Amino acid sequence: MRSVIDILDLKVEEIDELIDTALDIIKNPEKYNEKCKNKKLASLFFEPSTRTRLSFEAAMIELGGSVIGFSEANSSSVSKGESVADTAKTISCYADIIAMRHPKEGAPLIASMNASIPVINAGDGGHNHPTQTLADLLTIYREKGGFDNLTVGFCGDLKFGRTVHSLINALSRYKNIKIVLISPEELKLPSYVKKDVLEKNNIEYSETKSLEEVMPQLDILYMTRVQRERFFNEEDYLRLKDSYILEPSKLASAKETLSIMHPLPRVNEISVSIDSDPRACYFKQVLNGKYMRMALILKLLKEAGRI
Ligand code: NCD
C-alpha cells in the first residue's frame, strides 16, 4: 500500500504531476467535486493543528468525500493505551485513507506498516511534515516559476522545525540550490539533516546567526516559529523565542523579488505590518496546501484502486 511518510516517498516527477493536478483544480474546481464521492478520510490528529487538519478535511469535502476522525488524542482509545498499530488496523475497517499527526517521530510510519489503506504523515514530532512541503513547493512554483537556482534562507527553529527538514529534503533534488541556515546556536539544523541531505547531495550551504547579514542574497526567506512544545524547559524557550522578529526595516536590504514564507502558526517572528508587503506569501501557502492535499488524496486513492 502506497503511503506518504517522507517527502522523498514522492519522486520529483510525481511532485510535478501533483503540481499540475493542483493547478488544474484551481482552474476547474467543478471537475473535481465528485471524484471522491462515498470515500472517507480519517483525520487522526494526536497533536494540535489548525491548517493541516482543516485543509485535509476541506480537501476531502471539496472532492465530494467525507471525513471521520478526532482532533486530540484524549478523545481516542489511545488514551486507554491502544497502540498506533492497532489504531491503524481499526481505522482501515472504516475509511479509505488516513491523515495522521503525532507527537512521536515515526508514528505515521508505524501506522502505514499496519494499515491496509494509504497513510499520509501530517507531521510527526520534530521530524517531517511532507504535506506542508507540498504546500511550500506549489507556492514556490507559483512565485518563482520553478525550483532551480534559488537561494533559500531558513530562519528560526531549525532544530525542531519539521517543515524545515522536509523542505530541505525536497529542495535537495533540484539544481543549483543554495541553503542559508539562520538560527541561534541551540536551534541549529540537526547534523543528520546536514550530513544525510545537504552534504550527501553536495548542496552549497552556510550557517549564521545574523539574518541582516544574509538578507540581500535571499530569493526565499522561510521563517519559522520556535517550537515551544518540543523544549525540555520553559526557560530555554523564553530565552530563545524572540531570537528573530522580521520587521519592515529588516527588509531594507532584501531583494524586490524576495518571497517571505512561513508554515504558520506565527507567534512573534513576523510583524503583522509585513502582511501587506507583496512579498509576503504565508497566506498563499495556506490556500496552496489545500490544493496540494486534494491532489495527493486523489493520487493515493487512485493508486490504491479505491477511486
Ligand atoms: C507547522 C507544523 O505543525 O509543523 N504548522 C503547520 O502544519 N502549518 C509549523 C509549526 O507548528 O510551527
Side-chain angles (χ1 to χ4, degrees):
M1 184 55 54
R2 180 87 188 278
S3 287
V4 172
I5 304 302
D6 189 299
I7 192 67
L8 299 181
D9 292 339
L10 294 164
K11 296 194 201 96
V12 170
E13 306 81 67
E14 290 180 304
I15 289 181
D16 292 344
E17 277 165 32
L18 290 172
I19 289 176
D20 285 347
T21 307
L23 295 174
D24 195 51
I25 294 171
I26 294 168
K27 250 202 235 143
N28 307 299
E30 66 295 335
K31 211 169 106 186
Y32 291 86
N33 58 20
E34 291 205 347
K35 292 265 188 214
C36 291
K37 208 172 159 194
N38 299 324
K39 300 298 152 193
K40 278 170 275 170
L41 166 78
S43 156
L44 312 183
F45 278 68
F46 296 89
E47 241 193 11
S49 171
T50 298
R51 272 151 294 272
T52 306
R53 182 170 69 83
L54 295 180
S55 70
F56 262 114
E57 299 185 4
M60 191 51 156
I61 290 166
E62 289 187 30
L63 290 168
S66 46
V67 180
I68 57 173
F70 48 81
S71 55
E72 48 181 313
N74 285 345
S75 60
S76 76
S77 279
V78 168
S79 64
K80 302 181 189 166
E82 185 164 59
S83 67
V84 166
D86 285 0
T87 303
K89 284 183 189 155
T90 303
I91 305 294
S92 298
C93 303
Y94 306 140
D96 298 280
I97 187 163
I98 293 174
M100 177 186 277
R101 167 168 290 188
H102 203 286
K104 284 209 180 110
E105 286 84 0
L109 175 66
I110 301 288
S112 72
M113 291 159 65
N114 288 279
S116 55
I117 57 177
V119 176
I120 304 173
N121 179 5
D124 62 326
H127 192 214
N128 278 324
H129 193 347
T131 62
Q132 180 61 45
T133 299
L134 293 176
D136 300 341
L137 291 174
L138 179 58
T139 307
I140 295 173
Y141 183 83
R142 295 179 83 185
E143 296 300 310
K144 303 287 185 214
F147 305 108
D148 297 335
N149 309 314
L150 293 173
T151 299
V152 185
F154 289 90
C155 178
D157 187 347
L158 311 188
K159 180 178 182 187
F160 297 117
R162 55 194 174 194
T163 65
V164 170
H165 308 158
S166 287
L167 183 54
I168 288 179
N169 261 289
L171 292 173
S172 72
R173 299 190 291 188
Y174 298 100
K175 287 195 202 89
N176 192 27
I177 291 286
K178 294 193 182 82
I179 303 283
V180 183
L181 303 167
I182 308 140
S183 75
E185 189 60 34
E186 293 93 327
L187 299 178
K188 278 168 112 173
L189 190 73
S191 54
Y192 81 89
V193 185
K194 276 186 241 167
K195 284 206 188 89
D196 299 349
V197 186
L198 296 174
E199 287 161 21
K200 203 167 144 195
N201 293 295
N202 289 317
I203 309 284
E204 193 178 320
Y205 77 95
S206 59
E207 290 185 290
T208 176
K209 290 192 186 82
S210 163
L211 177 56
E212 284 86 345
E213 202 177 282
V214 296
M215 188 68 94
Q217 313 168 20
L218 304 179
D219 299 307
I220 293 171
L221 171 59
Y222 195 96
M223 294 294 295
T224 61
R225 167 181 78 90
V226 175
Q227 307 276 301
R228 180 182 206 154
E229 65 276 35
R230 316 250 180 256
F231 275 69
F232 293 111
N233 71 68
E234 184 73 2
E235 263 166 52
D236 286 348
Y237 169 71
L238 293 174
R239 184 166 50 80
L240 294 167
K241 74 182 173 67
D242 291 329
S243 299
Y244 301 97
I245 299 180
L246 188 64
E247 280 157 351
S249 62
K250 298 212 175 130
L251 288 173
S253 63
K255 289 187 183 173
E256 277 302 309
T257 53
L258 175 72
S259 298
I260 304 165
M261 298 177 66
H262 190 309
L264 303 180
R266 116 178 101 184
V267 185
N268 262 338
E269 56 283 350
I270 302 183
S271 149
V272 288
S273 53
I274 305 262
D275 295 3
S276 54
D277 189 306
R279 293 171 287 189
C281 294
Y282 26 95
F283 289 104
K284 294 181 184 170
Q285 283 166 267
V286 175
L287 187 57
N288 287 332
K290 183 185 72 176
Y291 296 126
M292 286 303 262
R293 291 183 176 104
M294 289 172 80
L296 183 63
I297 291 171
L298 278 173
K299 176 179 171 62
L300 294 179
L301 286 180
K302 258 187 221 152
E303 286 183 14
R306 289 185 171 255
I307 54 173

